[in-house]
Amino acid sequence: MSIEYFKQKYGYEVEGIWMPRVTAITSLTSRPFFGASYRSADWGNEVHSAVEKILKGEAKDSQEKIEPTLVAFEKWRKEYDVQIVSPADIELRVYDFENGYAGTIDMVAEVQGKRGIIDLKTGNSIRSEHSLQTVAYLNAYNKGATKKLQAQARWILRIDQYEECKGCLAKKSEKSGKERISEGNEYCNHQWSFARGETEFVELEDTQEDLRAFLAAKEVWEWYHRAALKKVANYPKNSMQKVLI
Ligand SMILES: [Zn+2]
């Protein structure tokens, strides 16, 4: 792998400094067990860009496939009185020069009057690595935000959609050509309903504990990629030294 490819694959350049991406770091802690990551990246990207358009009030393309997900998103937004203060708070790039990492926050929002960051997930479950991701975003965001705009909370919004069997209540997800059936009775001759969306909205606690774990994960990531990182001339020296000592 060339160094240019490595830099592009794993990080961002901000003001001439290259920093690894939060998701590159936390992917080291993910466990690819059955069902954990069956949702394709394409599906996630499609939902993210449609949600971004909705939040920015832009005309959305007709996307029948993900419509149940978008309906669930709108319902959640009303139910929790979610307010986006500025369009800049959508898909916001943040970075922490001191600890040497960068990332993109899906949205910074006020939820029932409380300001925080929200990460949107389109898989079938919330996983522990998401705690590390969101704490990294929260920490980087607050380092760059004025006192008035500090985020008080971090949330995960998970939106999924599935068809349900009218007989045995099995669930079928069909995303980007992959079909997955869970629960229910395997001998049932399933009769599927129309796809419907579901949301799960969770506030994450234990910020200090999660941040320590994220920074530790970052050190492991740096160790794992130490040979390549030595060749990245514009990677912040201070965080490299921590690894090399
Ligand atoms: Zn059935």
Side-chain angles (χ1 to χ4, degrees), residues 165-170 184-185 187-192:
C165 172
K166 291 166 188 166
C168 72
L169 304 182
N185 176 356
Y187 300 107
C188 174
N189 182 18
H190 301 308
Q191 301 290 315
W192 300 112

mmCIF file of all heavy atoms in Angstrom, residues 165-170 184-185 187-192, ligand 1:
data_model
loop_
_atom_site.group_PDB
_atom_site.id
_atom_site.type_symbol
_atom_site.label_atom_id
_atom_site.label_comp_id
_atom_site.label_asym_id
_atom_site.label_seq_id
_atom_site.Cartn_x
_atom_site.Cartn_y
_atom_site.Cartn_z
ATOM 1 N N CYS A 165 -43.335 -11.286 9.048
ATOM 2 C CA CYS A 165 -44.237 -12.358 8.620
ATOM 3 C C CYS A 165 -45.548 -12.236 9.400
ATOM 4 O O CYS A 165 -45.545 -12.131 10.623
ATOM 5 C CB CYS A 165 -43.610 -13.734 8.852
ATOM 6 S SG CYS A 165 -44.778 -15.078 8.550
ATOM 7 N N LYS A 166 -46.656 -12.282 8.649
ATOM 8 C CA LYS A 166 -47.968 -12.131 9.295
ATOM 9 C C LYS A 166 -48.304 -13.352 10.152
ATOM 10 O O LYS A 166 -49.143 -13.278 11.039
ATOM 11 C CB LYS A 166 -49.057 -11.943 8.224
ATOM 12 C CG LYS A 166 -48.929 -10.598 7.509
ATOM 13 C CD LYS A 166 -49.785 -10.573 6.234
ATOM 14 C CE LYS A 166 -49.493 -9.303 5.427
ATOM 15 N NZ LYS A 166 -50.049 -9.399 4.055
ATOM 16 N N GLY A 167 -47.642 -14.479 9.873
ATOM 17 C CA GLY A 167 -47.922 -15.700 10.622
ATOM 18 C C GLY A 167 -47.040 -15.851 11.857
ATOM 19 O O GLY A 167 -47.521 -15.912 12.982
ATOM 20 N N CYS A 168 -45.716 -15.868 11.658
ATOM 21 C CA CYS A 168 -44.822 -16.233 12.759
ATOM 22 C C CYS A 168 -44.000 -15.041 13.281
ATOM 23 O O CYS A 168 -43.167 -15.206 14.169
ATOM 24 C CB CYS A 168 -43.873 -17.340 12.314
ATOM 25 S SG CYS A 168 -42.607 -16.773 11.177
ATOM 26 N N LEU A 169 -44.205 -13.854 12.732
ATOM 27 C CA LEU A 169 -43.526 -12.623 13.166
ATOM 28 C C LEU A 169 -42.011 -12.628 12.905
ATOM 29 O O LEU A 169 -41.274 -11.846 13.510
ATOM 30 C CB LEU A 169 -43.795 -12.316 14.649
ATOM 31 C CG LEU A 169 -45.281 -12.216 15.052
ATOM 32 C CD1 LEU A 169 -45.408 -11.859 16.536
ATOM 33 C CD2 LEU A 169 -46.041 -11.194 14.205
ATOM 34 N N ALA A 170 -41.558 -13.497 11.989
ATOM 35 C CA ALA A 170 -40.148 -13.436 11.572
ATOM 36 C C ALA A 170 -39.905 -12.076 10.911
ATOM 37 O O ALA A 170 -40.837 -11.466 10.369
ATOM 38 C CB ALA A 170 -39.846 -14.558 10.587
ATOM 39 N N GLY A 184 -38.820 -15.779 14.460
ATOM 40 C CA GLY A 184 -39.907 -16.517 13.827
ATOM 41 C C GLY A 184 -39.674 -18.020 13.769
ATOM 42 O O GLY A 184 -38.785 -18.550 14.422
ATOM 43 N N ASN A 185 -40.463 -18.670 12.942
ATOM 44 C CA ASN A 185 -40.437 -20.126 12.824
ATOM 45 C C ASN A 185 -39.883 -20.502 11.452
ATOM 46 O O ASN A 185 -40.434 -20.120 10.425
ATOM 47 C CB ASN A 185 -41.877 -20.641 12.996
ATOM 48 C CG ASN A 185 -41.983 -22.149 12.790
ATOM 49 O OD1 ASN A 185 -40.998 -22.827 12.445
ATOM 50 N ND2 ASN A 185 -43.170 -22.670 12.990
ATOM 51 N N TYR A 187 -39.974 -23.143 9.791
ATOM 52 C CA TYR A 187 -40.810 -24.019 8.964
ATOM 53 C C TYR A 187 -42.057 -23.307 8.444
ATOM 54 O O TYR A 187 -42.849 -23.878 7.724
ATOM 55 C CB TYR A 187 -41.215 -25.274 9.769
ATOM 56 C CG TYR A 187 -40.008 -26.054 10.217
ATOM 57 C CD1 TYR A 187 -39.607 -26.051 11.547
ATOM 58 C CD2 TYR A 187 -39.239 -26.761 9.284
ATOM 59 C CE1 TYR A 187 -38.480 -26.748 11.954
ATOM 60 C CE2 TYR A 187 -38.109 -27.455 9.682
ATOM 61 C CZ TYR A 187 -37.730 -27.442 11.019
ATOM 62 O OH TYR A 187 -36.614 -28.127 11.403
ATOM 63 N N CYS A 188 -42.225 -22.059 8.850
ATOM 64 C CA CYS A 188 -43.397 -21.286 8.421
ATOM 65 C C CYS A 188 -43.272 -20.936 6.935
ATOM 66 O O CYS A 188 -42.185 -20.721 6.422
ATOM 67 C CB CYS A 188 -43.469 -20.000 9.247
ATOM 68 S SG CYS A 188 -44.757 -18.854 8.720
ATOM 69 N N ASN A 189 -44.402 -20.924 6.246
ATOM 70 C CA ASN A 189 -44.422 -20.447 4.863
ATOM 71 C C ASN A 189 -44.719 -18.942 4.945
ATOM 72 O O ASN A 189 -45.861 -18.513 4.853
ATOM 73 C CB ASN A 189 -45.497 -21.194 4.078
ATOM 74 C CG ASN A 189 -45.543 -20.772 2.623
ATOM 75 O OD1 ASN A 189 -44.594 -20.179 2.109
ATOM 76 N ND2 ASN A 189 -46.653 -21.050 1.970
ATOM 77 N N HIS A 190 -43.653 -18.157 5.143
ATOM 78 C CA HIS A 190 -43.815 -16.740 5.512
ATOM 79 C C HIS A 190 -44.691 -15.941 4.544
ATOM 80 O O HIS A 190 -44.587 -16.080 3.331
ATOM 81 C CB HIS A 190 -42.450 -16.056 5.582
ATOM 82 C CG HIS A 190 -41.503 -16.687 6.571
ATOM 83 N ND1 HIS A 190 -41.836 -16.923 7.875
ATOM 84 C CD2 HIS A 190 -40.229 -17.107 6.427
ATOM 85 C CE1 HIS A 190 -40.803 -17.480 8.498
ATOM 86 N NE2 HIS A 190 -39.816 -17.611 7.635
ATOM 87 N N GLN A 191 -45.510 -15.095 5.113
ATOM 88 C CA GLN A 191 -46.298 -14.120 4.349
ATOM 89 C C GLN A 191 -45.831 -12.736 4.786
ATOM 90 O O GLN A 191 -46.125 -12.311 5.901
ATOM 91 C CB GLN A 191 -47.801 -14.273 4.678
ATOM 92 C CG GLN A 191 -48.369 -15.655 4.389
ATOM 93 C CD GLN A 191 -48.466 -15.923 2.898
ATOM 94 O OE1 GLN A 191 -48.911 -15.075 2.120
ATOM 95 N NE2 GLN A 191 -48.023 -17.114 2.474
ATOM 96 N N TRP A 192 -45.109 -12.057 3.921
ATOM 97 C CA TRP A 192 -44.456 -10.818 4.359
ATOM 98 C C TRP A 192 -45.352 -9.597 4.253
ATOM 99 O O TRP A 192 -46.082 -9.424 3.293
ATOM 100 C CB TRP A 192 -43.171 -10.577 3.552
ATOM 101 C CG TRP A 192 -42.174 -11.689 3.709
ATOM 102 C CD1 TRP A 192 -41.787 -12.581 2.752
ATOM 103 C CD2 TRP A 192 -41.458 -12.054 4.895
ATOM 104 N NE1 TRP A 192 -40.872 -13.471 3.263
ATOM 105 C CE2 TRP A 192 -40.656 -13.178 4.570
ATOM 106 C CE3 TRP A 192 -41.419 -11.552 6.197
ATOM 107 C CZ2 TRP A 192 -39.817 -13.794 5.495
ATOM 108 C CZ3 TRP A 192 -40.589 -12.167 7.122
ATOM 109 C CH2 TRP A 192 -39.803 -13.271 6.781
HETATM 110 ZN ZN ZN B 1 -43.594 -16.884 9.093
#
